Structure formats: structure tokens, C-alpha cells
mmCIF file of all heavy atoms in Angstrom:
data_model
loop_
_atom_site.group_PDB
_atom_site.id
_atom_site.type_symbol
_atom_site.label_atom_id
_atom_site.label_comp_id
_atom_site.label_asym_id
_atom_site.label_seq_id
_atom_site.Cartn_x
_atom_site.Cartn_y
_atom_site.Cartn_z
ATOM 1 N N HIS G 1 0.894 -1.249 0.015
ATOM 2 C CA HIS G 1 -0.007 0.041 -0.042
ATOM 3 C C HIS G 1 0.834 1.241 -0.095
ATOM 4 O O HIS G 1 0.522 2.266 -0.810
ATOM 5 C CB HIS G 1 -0.961 -0.034 1.216
ATOM 6 C CG HIS G 1 -2.006 -1.056 1.108
ATOM 7 N ND1 HIS G 1 -3.025 -0.950 0.167
ATOM 8 C CD2 HIS G 1 -2.317 -2.110 1.855
ATOM 9 C CE1 HIS G 1 -3.820 -1.961 0.371
ATOM 10 N NE2 HIS G 1 -3.466 -2.680 1.407
ATOM 11 N N SER G 2 1.926 1.222 0.687
ATOM 12 C CA SER G 2 2.792 2.392 0.843
ATOM 13 C C SER G 2 3.550 2.794 -0.382
ATOM 14 O O SER G 2 3.546 3.905 -0.892
ATOM 15 C CB SER G 2 3.847 2.174 1.930
ATOM 16 O OG SER G 2 3.264 2.144 3.142
ATOM 17 N N MET G 3 3.879 1.644 -1.286
ATOM 18 C CA MET G 3 4.602 1.923 -2.473
ATOM 19 C C MET G 3 3.618 2.548 -3.464
ATOM 20 O O MET G 3 4.013 3.189 -4.442
ATOM 21 C CB MET G 3 5.029 0.605 -3.031
ATOM 22 C CG MET G 3 6.297 0.143 -2.418
ATOM 23 S SD MET G 3 7.170 -1.365 -2.991
ATOM 24 C CE MET G 3 5.969 -2.116 -3.999
ATOM 25 N N ARG G 4 2.277 2.349 -3.251
ATOM 26 C CA ARG G 4 1.350 2.971 -4.190
ATOM 27 C C ARG G 4 0.697 4.220 -3.609
ATOM 28 O O ARG G 4 -0.295 4.651 -4.228
ATOM 29 C CB ARG G 4 0.238 1.905 -4.486
ATOM 30 C CG ARG G 4 0.748 0.763 -5.397
ATOM 31 C CD ARG G 4 0.020 -0.488 -5.331
ATOM 32 N NE ARG G 4 0.506 -1.504 -6.170
ATOM 33 C CZ ARG G 4 1.714 -2.133 -5.945
ATOM 34 N NH1 ARG G 4 2.401 -1.799 -4.946
ATOM 35 N NH2 ARG G 4 2.168 -2.984 -6.781
ATOM 36 N N ASP G 5 1.322 4.770 -2.538
ATOM 37 C CA ASP G 5 0.766 6.052 -1.972
ATOM 38 C C ASP G 5 -0.737 5.734 -1.513
ATOM 39 O O ASP G 5 -1.498 6.716 -1.481
ATOM 40 C CB ASP G 5 0.895 7.209 -2.853
ATOM 41 C CG ASP G 5 2.331 7.706 -3.026
ATOM 42 O OD1 ASP G 5 3.249 7.215 -2.149
ATOM 43 O OD2 ASP G 5 2.553 8.440 -3.971
ATOM 44 N N ASP G 6 -1.105 4.548 -1.204
ATOM 45 C CA ASP G 6 -2.444 4.274 -0.718
ATOM 46 C C ASP G 6 -2.349 4.331 0.780
ATOM 47 O O ASP G 6 -2.305 3.247 1.466
ATOM 48 C CB ASP G 6 -2.826 2.793 -1.204
ATOM 49 C CG ASP G 6 -4.166 2.333 -0.598
ATOM 50 O OD1 ASP G 6 -4.917 3.125 0.012
ATOM 51 O OD2 ASP G 6 -4.510 1.244 -0.758
ATOM 52 N N TRP G 7 -2.383 5.514 1.371
ATOM 53 C CA TRP G 7 -2.220 5.695 2.734
ATOM 54 C C TRP G 7 -3.334 5.119 3.528
ATOM 55 O O TRP G 7 -3.117 4.660 4.702
ATOM 56 C CB TRP G 7 -2.039 7.197 3.040
ATOM 57 C CG TRP G 7 -0.919 7.794 2.253
ATOM 58 C CD1 TRP G 7 -1.065 8.874 1.277
ATOM 59 C CD2 TRP G 7 0.499 7.478 2.264
ATOM 60 N NE1 TRP G 7 0.277 9.102 0.750
ATOM 61 C CE2 TRP G 7 1.169 8.287 1.300
ATOM 62 C CE3 TRP G 7 1.279 6.559 3.051
ATOM 63 C CZ2 TRP G 7 2.557 8.216 1.157
ATOM 64 C CZ3 TRP G 7 2.615 6.471 2.838
ATOM 65 C CH2 TRP G 7 3.212 7.299 1.868
ATOM 66 N N SER G 8 -4.586 5.231 3.071
ATOM 67 C CA SER G 8 -5.706 4.660 3.835
ATOM 68 C C SER G 8 -5.597 3.159 3.878
ATOM 69 O O SER G 8 -5.853 2.587 5.007
ATOM 70 C CB SER G 8 -7.064 5.162 3.250
ATOM 71 O OG SER G 8 -7.144 4.694 1.947
ATOM 72 N N GLY G 9 -5.152 2.541 2.904
ATOM 73 C CA GLY G 9 -4.989 1.142 2.921
ATOM 74 C C GLY G 9 -3.932 0.692 3.814
ATOM 75 O O GLY G 9 -4.009 -0.258 4.558
ATOM 76 N N ALA G 10 -2.792 1.420 3.810
ATOM 77 C CA ALA G 10 -1.663 1.132 4.708
ATOM 78 C C ALA G 10 -2.080 1.345 6.210
ATOM 79 O O ALA G 10 -1.759 0.535 6.996
ATOM 80 C CB ALA G 10 -0.440 2.060 4.322
ATOM 81 N N LEU G 11 -2.847 2.447 6.434
ATOM 82 C CA LEU G 11 -3.308 2.754 7.856
ATOM 83 C C LEU G 11 -4.309 1.485 8.263
ATOM 84 O O LEU G 11 -4.189 1.204 9.434
ATOM 85 C CB LEU G 11 -3.964 4.006 7.934
ATOM 86 C CG LEU G 11 -2.982 5.216 8.056
ATOM 87 C CD1 LEU G 11 -3.778 6.532 7.848
ATOM 88 C CD2 LEU G 11 -2.350 5.217 9.426
ATOM 89 N N ALA G 12 -5.098 1.130 7.312
ATOM 90 C CA ALA G 12 -6.069 -0.062 7.691
ATOM 91 C C ALA G 12 -5.221 -1.303 8.070
ATOM 92 O O ALA G 12 -5.580 -1.949 8.996
ATOM 93 C CB ALA G 12 -6.921 -0.324 6.458
ATOM 94 N N VAL G 13 -4.132 -1.584 7.369
ATOM 95 C CA VAL G 13 -3.364 -2.779 7.694
ATOM 96 C C VAL G 13 -2.723 -2.560 9.026
ATOM 97 O O VAL G 13 -2.684 -3.550 9.794
ATOM 98 C CB VAL G 13 -2.203 -3.013 6.659
ATOM 99 C CG1 VAL G 13 -1.281 -3.941 7.034
ATOM 100 C CG2 VAL G 13 -2.845 -3.311 5.298
ATOM 101 N N VAL G 14 -2.304 -1.406 9.417
ATOM 102 C CA VAL G 14 -1.616 -1.181 10.702
ATOM 103 C C VAL G 14 -2.714 -1.324 11.777
ATOM 104 O O VAL G 14 -2.420 -1.976 12.814
ATOM 105 C CB VAL G 14 -1.024 0.302 10.779
ATOM 106 C CG1 VAL G 14 -0.615 0.611 12.233
ATOM 107 C CG2 VAL G 14 0.243 0.349 9.864
ATOM 108 N N GLU G 15 -3.842 -0.757 11.585
ATOM 109 C CA GLU G 15 -4.907 -0.920 12.523
ATOM 110 C C GLU G 15 -5.240 -2.364 12.752
ATOM 111 O O GLU G 15 -5.487 -2.769 13.898
ATOM 112 C CB GLU G 15 -6.173 -0.083 12.181
ATOM 113 C CG GLU G 15 -5.941 1.444 12.038
ATOM 114 C CD GLU G 15 -5.499 2.078 13.393
ATOM 115 O OE1 GLU G 15 -5.889 1.552 14.422
ATOM 116 O OE2 GLU G 15 -4.860 3.176 13.308
ATOM 117 N N SER G 16 -5.457 -3.105 11.709
ATOM 118 C CA SER G 16 -5.772 -4.506 11.723
ATOM 119 C C SER G 16 -4.629 -5.244 12.464
ATOM 120 O O SER G 16 -4.863 -6.132 13.254
ATOM 121 C CB SER G 16 -5.942 -5.067 10.347
ATOM 122 O OG SER G 16 -6.066 -6.443 10.334
ATOM 123 N N SER G 17 -3.293 -4.956 12.141
ATOM 124 C CA SER G 17 -2.234 -5.596 12.853
ATOM 125 C C SER G 17 -2.257 -5.411 14.278
ATOM 126 O O SER G 17 -2.007 -6.346 15.117
ATOM 127 C CB SER G 17 -0.964 -5.136 12.317
ATOM 128 O OG SER G 17 -0.812 -5.520 10.811
ATOM 129 N N ILE G 18 -2.621 -4.218 14.720
ATOM 130 C CA ILE G 18 -2.600 -3.872 16.198
ATOM 131 C C ILE G 18 -3.898 -4.668 16.807
ATOM 132 O O ILE G 18 -3.695 -5.310 17.854
ATOM 133 C CB ILE G 18 -2.892 -2.371 16.492
ATOM 134 C CG1 ILE G 18 -1.558 -1.657 16.089
ATOM 135 C CG2 ILE G 18 -3.119 -2.147 17.850
ATOM 136 C CD1 ILE G 18 -1.754 -0.168 16.007
ATOM 137 N N ALA G 19 -4.921 -4.625 16.161
ATOM 138 C CA ALA G 19 -6.196 -5.334 16.657
ATOM 139 C C ALA G 19 -5.973 -6.824 16.743
ATOM 140 O O ALA G 19 -6.406 -7.435 17.750
ATOM 141 C CB ALA G 19 -7.425 -4.969 15.727
ATOM 142 N N ARG G 20 -5.215 -7.329 15.799
ATOM 143 C CA ARG G 20 -5.086 -8.816 15.808
ATOM 144 C C ARG G 20 -3.880 -9.190 16.606
ATOM 145 O O ARG G 20 -3.411 -10.443 16.561
ATOM 146 C CB ARG G 20 -4.881 -9.362 14.377
ATOM 147 C CG ARG G 20 -6.220 -9.028 13.504
ATOM 148 C CD ARG G 20 -5.968 -9.299 12.067
ATOM 149 N NE ARG G 20 -6.037 -10.784 11.851
ATOM 150 C CZ ARG G 20 -5.825 -11.324 10.677
ATOM 151 N NH1 ARG G 20 -5.504 -10.567 9.653
ATOM 152 N NH2 ARG G 20 -5.778 -12.573 10.506
ATOM 153 N N LYS G 21 -3.131 -8.213 17.208
ATOM 154 C CA LYS G 21 -1.973 -8.452 18.035
ATOM 155 C C LYS G 21 -0.727 -9.032 17.191
ATOM 156 O O LYS G 21 0.008 -9.716 17.763
ATOM 157 C CB LYS G 21 -2.328 -9.274 19.171
ATOM 158 C CG LYS G 21 -3.385 -8.679 20.123
ATOM 159 C CD LYS G 21 -3.258 -9.134 21.458
ATOM 160 C CE LYS G 21 -4.423 -8.661 22.309
ATOM 161 N NZ LYS G 21 -4.719 -7.363 22.323
ATOM 162 N N ALA G 22 -0.714 -8.671 15.903
ATOM 163 C CA ALA G 22 0.407 -8.999 15.095
ATOM 164 C C ALA G 22 1.605 -8.130 15.352
ATOM 165 O O ALA G 22 2.746 -8.569 15.217
ATOM 166 C CB ALA G 22 0.016 -8.961 13.621
ATOM 167 N N ILE G 23 1.210 -6.975 15.834
ATOM 168 C CA ILE G 23 2.321 -5.975 16.257
ATOM 169 C C ILE G 23 1.828 -5.384 17.567
ATOM 170 O O ILE G 23 0.683 -5.313 17.849
ATOM 171 C CB ILE G 23 2.590 -4.821 15.211
ATOM 172 C CG1 ILE G 23 1.386 -4.110 14.863
ATOM 173 C CG2 ILE G 23 3.205 -5.494 13.968
ATOM 174 C CD1 ILE G 23 1.564 -2.880 13.955
ATOM 175 N N ASP G 24 2.847 -4.842 18.436
ATOM 176 C CA ASP G 24 2.502 -4.274 19.619
ATOM 177 C C ASP G 24 2.079 -2.778 19.386
ATOM 178 O O ASP G 24 2.269 -2.267 18.269
ATOM 179 C CB ASP G 24 3.694 -4.333 20.627
ATOM 180 C CG ASP G 24 4.911 -3.696 20.146
ATOM 181 O OD1 ASP G 24 4.963 -2.367 20.111
ATOM 182 O OD2 ASP G 24 5.855 -4.394 19.654
ATOM 183 N N LYS G 25 1.546 -2.214 20.382
ATOM 184 C CA LYS G 25 0.892 -0.905 20.274
ATOM 185 C C LYS G 25 2.036 0.157 19.969
ATOM 186 O O LYS G 25 1.813 1.012 19.145
ATOM 187 C CB LYS G 25 0.146 -0.505 21.453
ATOM 188 C CG LYS G 25 -0.684 0.745 21.324
ATOM 189 C CD LYS G 25 -1.617 1.081 22.348
ATOM 190 C CE LYS G 25 -2.332 2.413 22.041
ATOM 191 N NZ LYS G 25 -3.614 2.390 22.690
ATOM 192 N N ALA G 26 3.181 0.090 20.555
ATOM 193 C CA ALA G 26 4.364 0.974 20.290
ATOM 194 C C ALA G 26 4.677 0.953 18.785
ATOM 195 O O ALA G 26 4.913 2.024 18.167
ATOM 196 C CB ALA G 26 5.489 0.757 21.206
ATOM 197 N N THR G 27 4.731 -0.256 18.308
ATOM 198 C CA THR G 27 5.162 -0.373 16.880
ATOM 199 C C THR G 27 4.146 0.116 16.021
ATOM 200 O O THR G 27 4.381 0.731 14.974
ATOM 201 C CB THR G 27 5.512 -1.877 16.606
ATOM 202 O OG1 THR G 27 6.536 -2.399 17.435
ATOM 203 C CG2 THR G 27 5.906 -2.099 15.136
ATOM 204 N N GLY G 28 2.888 -0.177 16.371
ATOM 205 C CA GLY G 28 1.737 0.318 15.628
ATOM 206 C C GLY G 28 1.662 1.858 15.647
ATOM 207 O O GLY G 28 1.492 2.430 14.495
ATOM 208 N N ASN G 29 1.923 2.483 16.652
ATOM 209 C CA ASN G 29 1.952 4.000 16.761
ATOM 210 C C ASN G 29 3.078 4.489 15.943
ATOM 211 O O ASN G 29 2.929 5.557 15.195
ATOM 212 C CB ASN G 29 2.176 4.427 18.175
ATOM 213 C CG ASN G 29 0.807 4.411 18.964
ATOM 214 O OD1 ASN G 29 -0.326 4.250 18.383
ATOM 215 N ND2 ASN G 29 0.816 4.352 20.278
ATOM 216 N N ARG G 30 4.216 3.901 15.988
ATOM 217 C CA ARG G 30 5.420 4.396 15.139
ATOM 218 C C ARG G 30 5.019 4.228 13.631
ATOM 219 O O ARG G 30 5.185 5.144 12.900
ATOM 220 C CB ARG G 30 6.540 3.435 15.379
ATOM 221 C CG ARG G 30 7.827 3.749 14.618
ATOM 222 C CD ARG G 30 8.553 4.946 15.020
ATOM 223 N NE ARG G 30 9.686 5.197 14.151
ATOM 224 C CZ ARG G 30 10.289 6.313 14.165
ATOM 225 N NH1 ARG G 30 10.030 7.238 15.029
ATOM 226 N NH2 ARG G 30 11.336 6.462 13.374
ATOM 227 N N GLN G 31 4.407 3.143 13.266
ATOM 228 C CA GLN G 31 3.942 2.932 11.826
ATOM 229 C C GLN G 31 2.919 3.970 11.467
ATOM 230 O O GLN G 31 2.906 4.517 10.412
ATOM 231 C CB GLN G 31 3.508 1.563 11.540
ATOM 232 C CG GLN G 31 4.600 0.477 11.657
ATOM 233 C CD GLN G 31 4.192 -0.954 11.392
ATOM 234 O OE1 GLN G 31 3.014 -1.152 11.376
ATOM 235 N NE2 GLN G 31 5.126 -1.806 11.131
ATOM 236 N N ARG G 32 1.943 4.208 12.369
ATOM 237 C CA ARG G 32 0.878 5.197 12.114
ATOM 238 C C ARG G 32 1.565 6.593 11.919
ATOM 239 O O ARG G 32 1.249 7.473 10.996
ATOM 240 C CB ARG G 32 -0.044 5.281 13.329
ATOM 241 C CG ARG G 32 -1.008 4.240 13.366
ATOM 242 C CD ARG G 32 -2.096 4.612 14.588
ATOM 243 N NE ARG G 32 -2.890 3.626 14.970
ATOM 244 C CZ ARG G 32 -3.087 3.154 16.224
ATOM 245 N NH1 ARG G 32 -2.402 3.688 17.167
ATOM 246 N NH2 ARG G 32 -3.885 2.199 16.403
ATOM 247 N N GLY G 33 2.538 6.953 12.778
ATOM 248 C CA GLY G 33 3.216 8.147 12.612
ATOM 249 C C GLY G 33 3.873 8.331 11.353
ATOM 250 O O GLY G 33 3.950 9.452 10.629
ATOM 251 N N VAL G 34 4.643 7.268 10.929
ATOM 252 C CA VAL G 34 5.422 7.344 9.635
ATOM 253 C C VAL G 34 4.362 7.539 8.506
ATOM 254 O O VAL G 34 4.598 8.333 7.684
ATOM 255 C CB VAL G 34 6.235 6.099 9.507
ATOM 256 C CG1 VAL G 34 6.702 5.941 8.079
ATOM 257 C CG2 VAL G 34 7.324 6.009 10.518
ATOM 258 N N LEU G 35 3.218 6.789 8.509
ATOM 259 C CA LEU G 35 2.263 6.918 7.436
ATOM 260 C C LEU G 35 1.591 8.259 7.453
ATOM 261 O O LEU G 35 1.413 8.880 6.377
ATOM 262 C CB LEU G 35 1.233 5.832 7.606
ATOM 263 C CG LEU G 35 1.746 4.398 7.238
ATOM 264 C CD1 LEU G 35 0.713 3.324 7.708
ATOM 265 C CD2 LEU G 35 2.074 4.256 5.820
ATOM 266 N N LYS G 36 1.228 8.742 8.663
ATOM 267 C CA LYS G 36 0.705 10.088 8.760
ATOM 268 C C LYS G 36 1.663 11.140 8.119
ATOM 269 O O LYS G 36 1.282 12.145 7.571
ATOM 270 C CB LYS G 36 0.079 10.447 10.128
ATOM 271 C CG LYS G 36 -1.128 9.630 10.368
ATOM 272 C CD LYS G 36 -1.675 9.966 11.793
ATOM 273 C CE LYS G 36 -2.865 9.121 11.965
ATOM 274 N NZ LYS G 36 -4.110 9.749 11.394
ATOM 275 N N THR G 37 2.896 11.026 8.408
ATOM 276 C CA THR G 37 3.953 11.897 7.976
ATOM 277 C C THR G 37 3.975 11.873 6.429
ATOM 278 O O THR G 37 4.020 12.889 5.743
ATOM 279 C CB THR G 37 5.304 11.630 8.499
ATOM 280 O OG1 THR G 37 5.377 11.783 9.952
ATOM 281 C CG2 THR G 37 6.415 12.520 7.957
ATOM 282 N N GLY G 38 3.924 10.710 5.874
ATOM 283 C CA GLY G 38 3.852 10.584 4.449
ATOM 284 C C GLY G 38 2.583 11.260 3.924
ATOM 285 O O GLY G 38 2.594 11.847 2.792
ATOM 286 N N ILE G 39 1.425 11.133 4.557
ATOM 287 C CA ILE G 39 0.267 11.734 4.151
ATOM 288 C C ILE G 39 0.437 13.281 4.145
ATOM 289 O O ILE G 39 0.082 13.984 3.242
ATOM 290 C CB ILE G 39 -1.013 11.329 5.037
ATOM 291 C CG1 ILE G 39 -1.270 9.850 4.735
ATOM 292 C CG2 ILE G 39 -2.210 12.125 4.716
ATOM 293 C CD1 ILE G 39 -2.251 9.244 5.837
ATOM 294 N N ALA G 40 0.969 13.802 5.268
ATOM 295 C CA ALA G 40 1.121 15.176 5.451
ATOM 296 C C ALA G 40 2.022 15.758 4.385
ATOM 297 O O ALA G 40 1.843 16.879 3.806
ATOM 298 C CB ALA G 40 1.702 15.545 6.831
#
């Protein structure tokens, strides 16, 4: 998703990964921050 500038799709993957406990919250927040910076 990131390679295609599909920021909403990338954020959805991060949210899903946090909800499914595939990544911890700190990692998820970092990824959210990186994606939001790309959006900005």
C-alpha cells in the first residue's frame, strides 16, 4: 500500500495488525506516525 501511496489502505493494515496483536501498540503507533507523515 505504501509503494502505491495508498495511505488509507496502509493505515487499515496497521490498525488491523494492532487489533489482531500481530504488532504491539508502540510499533503500531510508530507505523501510524510514519504513514501520517507521508500523508502530510
Side-chain angles (χ1 to χ4, degrees):
H1 290 293
S2 297
M3 287 185 342
R4 285 157 183 72
D5 292 340
D6 176 8
W7 304 116
S8 61
L11 280 169
V13 169
V14 172
E15 297 300 333
S16 172
S17 293
I18 293 169
R20 297 172 77 186
K21 303 206 185 310
I23 58 173
D24 60 75
K25 190 167 181 153
T27 301
N29 282 342
R30 175 81 179 164
Q31 289 178 349
R32 281 184 191 130
V34 169
L35 291 169
K36 286 184 180 275
T37 300
I39 294 168

